[in-house]
Amino acid sequence: MSDLPGFLSVRVLRGVNLVSRDAGGSDPYVVLHLDNQKLKTGVVKKTTNPVWNEELTLAVRNPETPIQLEVFDKDTFSKDDQMGDAEFDIEALMQIVRMDLQDIRSGTVVRTVRPGRQCCLADESHIVWENGQIVQDMLLKLRNVETGVVHLQLKWVNIPELKMNTYVLSVGVA
C-alpha cells in the first residue's frame, strides 16, 4: 500500500492513427480501469485521429497496480467494437513524487522512462517538474490491434494529511 494516498489526474489528449471499425469512420472513446474504478471519455464522431482533451481522475491506493486503458468504437445498434488496449504503471512517477523538488527550475526533466518489452510505451516518456507540479506525458501503443497510439498526460494530486481535532459532542445532556 502507498504511504502517499492521492489521486492521479489522467488527461486523455488524443488518439493517433487508430484502427477504423466502421465504413464511415470510427466513433472512438477511451475507458480507464484501476481497481474497481472505470472511467470513460466522451465519444468523438467519425475519426481515427480523435482529440478528447478530457481529464479523468483515479483514486490510487496502491501505486504498483497497473492502469488498464481500452479504446472502443461506439455503435448504436450493436456491441461497441474494441479498437485496442494498453497498460501503464505509475511507479516511476511515484518515485519522483516522493522527492523534494521545490528548488528545481520549472520545465526540468526529472526522469525519462524508456519503452521496454513489458510496457506499452511507444516512445520515451518524460517526467517534468512544471509550475510546481509533477507531469508525465506518455504515448501508449495499443495492443491487440493493427495500429494506434493514445497520448496521455499524468499529474499526481496529493491529499493533504488530515489533522483533525477531537471534538466531544454531548447530545441530549441537560
Side-chain angles (χ1 to χ4, degrees):
M1 285 305 254
S2 171
D3 57 348
L4 289 172
F7 294 98
L8 182 67
S9 167
V10 180
R11 183 166 293 279
V12 182
L13 295 168
R14 62 192 173 101
V16 179
N17 203 22
L18 301 180
V19 68
S20 183
R21 292 292 188 217
D22 293 330
S26 296
D27 303 318
Y29 66 93
V30 172
V31 180
L32 293 179
H33 300 271
L34 177 63
D35 298 325
N36 293 324
Q37 302 167 80
K38 180 178 177 180
L39 303 174
K40 295 182 190 180
T41 65
V43 174
V44 178
K45 295 286 187 184
K46 304 297 180 207
T47 183
T48 56
N49 293 294
V51 175
W52 292 286
N53 199 26
E54 289 188 41
E55 189 170 325
L56 304 175
T57 303
L58 296 163
V60 177
R61 290 184 213 96
N62 183 352
E64 295 176 5
T65 303
I67 298 168
Q68 308 293 320
L69 176 142
E70 295 178 289
V71 181
F72 290 95
D73 169 38
K74 181 72 176 164
D75 287 331
T76 305
F77 300 109
S78 62
K79 183 179 174 191
D80 293 352
D81 301 315
Q82 189 161 23
M83 297 175 68
D85 64 89
E87 181 177 285
F88 64 97
D89 67 62
I90 60 168
E91 290 183 59
L93 181 73
M94 294 308 298
Q95 289 173 0
I96 304 304
V97 165
R98 290 180 175 93
M99 297 170 62
D100 179 15
L101 302 175
Q102 296 305 320
D103 295 331
I104 295 179
R105 189 180 50 149
S106 184
T108 300
V109 175
V110 182
R111 182 166 177 189
T112 299
V113 181
R114 289 180 172 70
R117 282 186 244 150
Q118 297 299 332
C119 73
C120 293
L121 288 176
D123 200 358
E124 290 183 342
S125 173
H126 300 289
I127 302 174
V128 178
W129 177 250
E130 188 74 44
N131 298 321
Q133 291 187 309
I134 298 167
V135 179
Q136 182 176 9
D137 272 278
M138 59 175 52
L139 295 171
L140 297 176
K141 184 175 182 345
L142 296 176
R143 304 179 293 199
N144 303 312
V145 71
E146 302 81 39
T147 183
V149 172
V150 175
H151 184 188
L152 304 177
Q153 184 178 74
L154 311 180
K155 290 183 187 176
W156 181 253
V157 181
N158 282 318
I159 299 174
E161 285 187 40
L162 297 175
K163 296 183 179 178
M164 300 178 69
N165 294 324
T166 305
Y167 293 97
V168 178
L169 301 175
S170 55
V171 179
V173 177

